[in-house]
């Protein structure tokens, strides 16, 4: 399959599981998207995580941990970081690259670079030996993954040799397909049970 | 958890479960929705081939578990993981408690693990003073309720939003709404601090890849990722059967598991963890990482030629999703720890005879589980096999051994049936049904009318009706089965008339034939069943015939597949059984595919007929088109019914043992048939006819229920 077809298939499959998929022409465009999403978000979207429901006292205390909008973007390319930090400064967003363990109550956006995409299931592959990457993509309310179009493969078998290579040393890699979900109560789908409430995939048109 | 000590007590518990309206509706809705979502998920994929590949790959792994364990250990330890092998459930719990102690652990978060349910890990850790929190939403709910899962994949499917809201109100000390989206967010917020504070995370493992020492976790909620990332210690507990040689094996299973479990293409998260990964709060910035493999009888099972296939199970839970009995009573009554069809088998091996002995009898043998199993496990046969083993170990109940003695002695059995004809006179009241039964004999059986024994058995009519054929081109043996021989001989006669329309087909009815033996297998009387099978193969010398035709789906499926299994350990007999099985064919396939009967043979007014697909025909023999096509050939209008291939609840001796369940299934079947607007139903099994016709009779609804052969015969053009 050619790259445009793979992009199309991945887009279609990922959309089926409630992921937001957008093409971006450059990393700069991606960073602008990220900050726009953050600006457009409620001041404290942890609300969406259940603050509006009465909570036990210990869970209530979590709200205290976050008072400002935060994007965590660990291990992003230097140029993209430069753009992003400029945009964040402009819009009053706090940008961090580490220290996720002190922010387990939640942050607004976790930004990661996906190492691969799997078209037939609409999956992004996030290699996350770095604990910051792991936590950013799990603890955030919204996980945004930038996925280079050229790294999309047709199915998981096509990725097998690469995965096996990674597994030759300590490794933590995840297939991420849509946001965190559950259907444990009456089989009714609910998004964002433990992980992100939203997953955005920015497909980067690389040459 | 199912814990009845006697069958009587178990039946009482089942009746309670039947009264649980919420659960009944929830499971009904799920069963119907599941069928569609599974079909959609597998669209464009060759599911049978994928399943065969998984089965083959798992079989290879099962034969090499010891080597795979050594290989996994070598690679995992090189990457910083400590690997353990626990012989028993208790040993596994002790190892994990010791790891907790050595690392000064106080609080633990868990990601879902059926293996931990199997070992009762939480109880053990809590007794050691540790605080354990389940983090999968369903698991957390049932943990708070102090109960076990009712489904392998959806542990809390038996609970309503109202029950969950009440529970969460109690837990948070704040009144909670019944809105599901809000309840889920309450769980998110309540559990997040548990993740943050935990010293240790315990997960299961869907895969353990020997080539790299990697474990793979499949979750939707993301709790698996948090559990394996936040705490400084991570212990994965997995059955040793989760070992597989390569990543490819795991990727292959991932293609199937979520589709088969819930109709998802893939779960939200599949996480691959190799070795001790960086962890800020761990010693030297690394995770303390352990993998504990549980044997608990698995290694012995791997050497058991019959039961090793149980280890192929990938825990998708599909066998429960399609099980008519599970759908009625739910997992707490259809499982001990492991639920559904696989649970019936696994319970015996992992939790012992006591826990399994009642459960294992509660199987219709309808084959729905086998047809859907992601690893091609022959579940119905294994369930009956466990039943037989338990009886061999515990002693056979009187009724069961008497049945064995009677059925394997053809002349005694047939004499008894003929005497029944005389004895039934006072109870038939001149009808074809047994009307005035002494009820102590048939307690709880009055949900359907039972047929009377026919005045003249088919075997006694045969000489009179046998067509004389010169220049035979095809030689056919008719196998009637007991019901058609003694209760419904008219079905056999109809078949003879239909077959006789083709020239050159010589039919014989070998008089020595007896019961096929399936009822004995259902009762766990394997030894008597073998004798009966040998008797039949002797009475019908397969070499003399091109085909052995039977009108009973159950007999056909059992003659074709069951006999070979019975003699698996006896090469000479197994060969004979294979020769025999090769010639067995069901009536509809024979008439359509071998005789190639055409519409020219038929005439008559148009008539609407609906159809019931007998379990042992549609799944047992994979025959789905032939009977429906024949109805069309004969000029009948076939009207499909909902859930046509769901069991009518007969299940042979099942309906005698579990009349309450049989009745519910029959009611559902009858309602689906009525809903078609037709007033006639065709099928290919006298057992189904007995059940469904008896149900309509009791329901006082005029509805014609007959064998496909009878519909064909009544429309044959007179020559």
């Amino acid at each position: 399959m050619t790259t445009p077809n793979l992009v199309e298939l991945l887009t279609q499959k990922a959309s089926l599981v409630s992921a937001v998929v957008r093409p971006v022409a450059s990393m700069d465009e991606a960073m602008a998207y990220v900050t726009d999403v953050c600006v457009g978000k409620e001041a404290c979207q942890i609300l969406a995580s259940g603050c509006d429901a009465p909570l036990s006292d210990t869970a209530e205390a979590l709200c205290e941990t976050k008072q400002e909008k935060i994007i965590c973007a660990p291990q992003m390319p230097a140029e993209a970081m430069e753009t992003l930090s400029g945009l964040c400064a402009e819009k009053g967003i706090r940008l961090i690259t580490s220290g996720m363990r002190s922010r387990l109550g939640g942050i607004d956006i976790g930004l990661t670079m996906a190492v691969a995409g799997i078209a037939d299931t609409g999956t992004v592959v996030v290699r996350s030996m770095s604990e910051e990457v792991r936590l950013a993509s799990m603890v955030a309310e919204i996980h945004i993954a930038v996925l280079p179009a050229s790294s999309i493969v047709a199915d998981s078998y096509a990725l097998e040799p690469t995965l096996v290579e990674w597994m030759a040393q300590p490794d933590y890699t995840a297939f991420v397909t849509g946001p965190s979900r559950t259907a444990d109560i009456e089989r009714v789908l609910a998004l964002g049970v433990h992980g992100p409430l939203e997953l955005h995939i920015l497909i980067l048109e690389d040459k | 958890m199912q814990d009845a000590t006697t069958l009587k007590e178990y039946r009482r518990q089942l009746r309670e479960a039947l009264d649980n309206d919420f659960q009944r509706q929830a499971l009904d809705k799920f069963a119907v929705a599941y069928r569609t979502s599974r079909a959609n998920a597998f669209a464009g994929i060759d599911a049978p081939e994928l399943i065969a590949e998984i089965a083959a790959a798992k079989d290879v792994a099962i034969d090499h578990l010891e080597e795979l364990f050594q290989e996994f250990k070598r690679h995992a330890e090189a990457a910083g993981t400590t690997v353990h092998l626990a012989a028993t459930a208790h040993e596994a719990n002790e190892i994990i408690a010791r790891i907790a102690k050595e690392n000064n652990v106080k609080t633990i978060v868990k990601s879902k693990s059926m293996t931990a349910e199997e070992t009762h890990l939480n109880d053990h850790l809590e007794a050691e003073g540790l605080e354990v929190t389940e983090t999968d939403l369903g698991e957390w709910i049932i943990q708070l309720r102090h109960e076990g899962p009712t489904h392998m994949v959806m542990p809390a499917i038996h609970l309503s939003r109202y029950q969950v809201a009440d529970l969460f109100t109690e837990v948070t000390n704040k009144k909670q709404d019944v809105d599901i989206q809000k309840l889920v967010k309450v769980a998110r917020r309540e559990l997040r601090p548990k993740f943050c504070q935990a010293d240790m995370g315990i997960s299961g493992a869907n895969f353990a890849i020997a080539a790299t020492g990697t474990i793979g976790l499949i979750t939707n909620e993301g709790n698996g990722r948090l559990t394996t990332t936040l705490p400084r210690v991570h212990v994965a507990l997995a059955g040793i059967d989760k070992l597989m040689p390569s990543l490819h094996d795991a990727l292959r299973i991932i293609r199937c598991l979520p589709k088969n479990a819930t109709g998802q293409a893939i779960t939200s998260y599949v996480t691959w963890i190799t070795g001790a990964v960086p962890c800020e709060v761990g010693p030297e910035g690394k995770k303390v990482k352990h993998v504990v493999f549980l044997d608990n009888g698995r290694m012995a099972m791997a050497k058991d030629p019959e039961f090793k296939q149980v280890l192929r199970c990938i825990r998708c839970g599909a066998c429960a999703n399609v099980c008519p009995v599970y759908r009625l009573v739910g997992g707490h009554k259809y499982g001990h720890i492991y639920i559904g069809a696989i649970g019936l088998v696994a319970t015996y091996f992992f939790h012992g005879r006591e826990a399994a002995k009642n459960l294992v009898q509660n199987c219709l043998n309808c084959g729905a589980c086998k047809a859907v199993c992601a690893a091609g496990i022959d579940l119905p046969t294994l369930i009956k096999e466990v039943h037989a083993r338990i009886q061999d170990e515990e002693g056979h109940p009187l009724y069961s051994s008497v049945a064995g003695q009677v059925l394997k002695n053809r002349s005694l059995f047939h004499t008894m049936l003929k005497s029944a004809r005389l004895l039934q006179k006072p109870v038939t009241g001149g009808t074809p049904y047994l009307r005035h039964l002494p009820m102590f004999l048939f307690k709880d059986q009055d949900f359907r009318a039972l047929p009377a024994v026919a005045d003249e058995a088919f075997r006694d009519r045969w000489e009179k009706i046998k067509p004389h054929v010169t220049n035979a081109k095809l030689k056919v043996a008719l196998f009637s089965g007991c019901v058609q021989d003694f209760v419904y001989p008219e079905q056999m006669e109809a078949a003879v008339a239909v077959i006789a329309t083709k020239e050159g087909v010589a039919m014989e009815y070998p008089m020595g034939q007896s019961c096929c033996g399936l009822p004995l297998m259902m009762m766990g009387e394997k030894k008597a069943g073998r004798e009966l099978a040998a008797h039949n193969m002797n009475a019908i010398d397969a070499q003399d015939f091109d085909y052995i035709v039977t009108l009973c789906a159950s007999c056909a499926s059992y003659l074709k597949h069951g006999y070979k299994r019975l003699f698996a350990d006896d090469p000479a007999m197994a060969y004979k059984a294979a020769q025999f099985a090769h010639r067995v064919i069901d009536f509809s396939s024979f008439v359509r595919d071998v005789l190639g009967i055409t519409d020219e043979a038929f005439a008559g007014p148009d008539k609407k007929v609906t159809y019931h697909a007998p379990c042992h025909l549609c799944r047992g023999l994979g025959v789905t088109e032939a009977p429906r096509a024949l109805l069309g050939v004969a000029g009948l209008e076939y009207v499909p019914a909902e859930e046509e291939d769901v069991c009518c609840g007969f299940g042979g001796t099942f309906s005698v043992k579990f009349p309450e369940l049989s009745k519910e299934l029959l009611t559902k079947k009858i309602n689906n048939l009525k809903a078609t607007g037709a007033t006639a139903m065709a099928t290919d099994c006298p057992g189904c006819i007995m059940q469904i016709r008896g149900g309509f009779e009791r329901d006082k609804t005029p509805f014609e229920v007959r064998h496909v052969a009878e519909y064909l015969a009544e429309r044959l053009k007179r020559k």
Side-chain angles (χ1 to χ4, degrees), chain B residues 261-572:
Chain B
T262 54
Q264 282 178 279
I266 190 168
T267 53
S268 297
Y269 303 103
V270 177
T271 308
W272 306 103
I273 310 171
T274 313
V277 293
C279 173
E280 203 181 291
V281 291
E284 295 164 37
K286 271 193 197 165
K287 182 80 79 181
V288 177
K289 171 84 183 287
H290 293 262
V291 176
V292 180
F293 286 105
L294 176 67
D295 178 345
N296 206 22
R298 286 167 172 82
M299 296 303 274
M301 201 188 236
K303 293 187 180 70
D304 183 319
E306 258 170 315
F307 283 96
K308 63 196 274 187
Q309 56 174 316
V310 173
L311 298 174
R312 289 186 197 155
C313 176
I314 59 169
R315 309 274 186 261
C316 68
C319 55
N321 300 354
V322 297
C323 173
V325 177
Y326 172 81
R327 185 169 159 182
L328 288 177
V329 302
H332 285 159
K333 299 294 165 263
Y334 205 63
H336 178 69
I337 299 292
Y338 291 104
I339 59 101
I342 191 72
L344 267 49
V345 183
T347 298
Y348 172 73
F349 288 94
F350 300 152
H351 301 285
R353 193 165 68 210
E354 269 309 303
K357 69 177 185 189
N358 296 313
L359 272 177
V360 84
Q361 300 183 50
N362 195 2
C363 165
L364 282 158
N365 199 39
C366 76
C369 49
K370 179 184 175 185
V372 80
C373 177
I377 305 172
D378 187 357
L379 290 155
T381 302
L382 294 182
I383 291 168
K384 293 304 161 199
E385 193 63 41
V386 169
H387 187 195
R389 281 196 188 190
I390 291 177
Q391 290 202 165
D392 287 346
E393 289 164 9
E394 286 216 322
H396 294 232
L398 186 63
Y399 70 86
S400 175
S401 27
V402 167
Q405 291 307 316
V406 171
L407 282 180
K408 75 178 187 188
N409 182 339
R410 189 196 66 79
S411 58
L412 171 63
F413 177 46
H414 286 173
T415 305
M416 282 175 72
L417 280 168
K418 284 176 185 176
S419 321
R421 185 195 306 151
L422 301 174
L423 291 170
Q424 73 188 3
K425 288 274 188 267
V427 293
T428 57
T431 71
Y433 297 99
L434 304 177
R435 293 267 172 222
H436 314 290
L437 282 178
M439 280 327 288
F440 70 91
L441 277 177
F442 290 91
K443 200 168 167 290
D444 305 320
Q445 291 294 320
D446 61 341
F447 63 94
R448 59 170 175 198
L450 289 170
V453 174
D455 287 338
E456 193 179 14
F458 179 73
R459 59 177 57 243
D460 299 326
R461 300 184 190 186
W462 176 243
E463 276 310 316
K464 287 173 270 177
I465 63 163
K466 179 181 178 177
H468 291 281
V469 174
T470 48
N471 295 331
K473 281 177 254 164
L474 210 54
K475 281 189 76 183
V476 173
L478 300 174
F479 186 88
S480 68
C482 319
V483 179
Q484 278 156 336
D485 193 355
F486 287 92
V487 181
Y488 301 131
E490 66 275 13
Q491 295 173 9
M492 290 302 293
E493 282 196 53
V496 171
V498 173
I499 295 171
T501 58
K502 284 279 170 179
E503 278 175 29
V505 184
M507 284 179 266
E508 267 189 47
Y509 184 80
M511 286 293 163
Q513 64 180 279
S514 190
C515 168
C516 69
L518 178 63
L520 291 179
M521 191 195 67
M522 288 293 286
M523 286 189 278
E525 295 293 329
K526 198 176 172 188
K527 196 165 159 279
R530 264 170 74 117
E531 288 177 38
L532 193 47
H535 168 92
N536 279 327
M537 293 195 304
N538 203 31
I540 306 173
D541 191 343
Q543 309 298 342
D544 291 347
F545 300 99
D546 297 301
Y547 290 97
I548 300 167
V549 178
T550 167
L551 277 73
C552 172
S554 300
C555 296
S557 159
Y558 191 63
L559 297 175
K560 205 163 184 72
H561 303 304
Y563 279 23
K564 283 186 280 185
R565 274 193 302 262
L566 283 172
F567 299 107
D569 57 353
D570 181 340

Side-chain angles (χ1 to χ4, degrees), chain B residues 136-159:
Chain B
D136 172 271
L137 176 58
E139 285 285 321
W140 187 50
I141 292 170
I142 60 167
Q143 183 190 29
L144 292 170
R145 285 174 58 94
H146 307 289
E147 59 187 20
T150 47
H151 189 279
M152 211 112 77
V153 176
M154 291 160 290
I157 192 174
H158 58 299
L159 298 172

